[in-house]
Amino acid sequence: MASSPDASAVRHRHRDYFFRLARRGISDYCSSRDVEWYATTQAEQANIREALAFSLSDPGEPLVALEMATALRPYWQQSGSVLEGYQWLRRALDRVTAPSVERAMGLVAASILGFLVEQTDDARTLLREYRESATEQPSPDSTVTGLFASALEASGGR
């Protein structure tokens, strides 16, 4: 596929498909569609990893990787893949450094997973940066997630 003239377009379509699957978690998690989303996401882990890696390898696409990794946070928590999710989020945050709502959401998601994998100092740093950016880039979704991260911080990170 890499030598095909259409390889880039195919990789973008692949990535976009799995980006949409990841984003379904935003609406499907804790809903009547939760089990179906979780099962599909579980079955498609290799493709999701490929889509994330592709987005991080393309200089113009790391924001997609950040949004995708952020949307997958509940999956990674529930599936026991917390460390993997934390690592994807950290890689994406290292590439997306400009303040934005997407970065704020990624920061708080990474802080939650960081607390869960006992990367407490890093999780606190991420949460602090999230709090600073949340005042500049407010989002109702990030407020609830921020409270969850703060609860993890208050409980010692677990």
Side-chain angles (χ1 to χ4, degrees):
M1 179 171 81
S3 61
S4 165
D6 297 324
S8 178
V10 169
R11 291 192 76 189
H12 277 90
R13 282 194 304 272
H14 176 271
R15 189 274 324 272
D16 292 346
Y17 176 84
F18 290 100
F19 179 49
R20 287 189 302 274
L21 173 62
R23 288 190 52 81
R24 275 187 33 214
I26 295 168
S27 60
D28 291 3
Y29 183 65
C30 291
S31 79
S32 62
R33 298 173 307 276
D34 188 329
V35 172
E36 189 271 329
W37 173 76
Y38 181 90
T40 303
T41 302
Q42 179 73 31
E44 296 293 354
Q45 277 305 287
N47 282 310
I48 289 168
R49 289 180 185 116
E50 180 61 33
L52 284 163
F54 172 69
S55 293
L56 287 172
S57 71
D58 186 333
E61 303 292 334
L63 184 61
V64 174
L66 179 60
E67 289 185 76
M68 189 173 185
T70 300
L72 288 166
R73 185 210 30 102
Y75 168 78
W76 282 321
Q77 264 181 260
Q78 299 302 315
S79 69
S81 305
V82 178
L83 180 59
E84 179 182 2
Y86 175 71
Q87 291 168 338
W88 282 115
L89 278 161
R90 292 301 289 142
R91 288 177 61 199
L93 286 165
D94 287 345
R95 300 279 314 281
V96 178
T97 58
S100 65
V101 170
E102 294 83 7
R103 179 165 170 81
M105 294 295 291
L107 287 165
V108 73
S111 72
I112 289 168
L113 297 182
F115 283 124
L116 295 175
V117 295
E118 298 183 7
Q119 294 293 316
T120 308
D121 291 339
D122 190 43
R124 283 192 175 105
T125 300
L126 293 163
L127 185 55
R128 185 173 40 256
E129 185 181 343
Y130 155 75
R131 288 175 179 143
E132 292 166 3
S133 68
T135 60
E136 299 166 18
Q137 306 279 334
S139 164
D141 293 334
S142 69
T143 302
V144 171
T145 310
L147 290 171
F148 178 38
S150 294
L152 286 171
E153 179 184 38
S155 70
R158 293 185 220 174

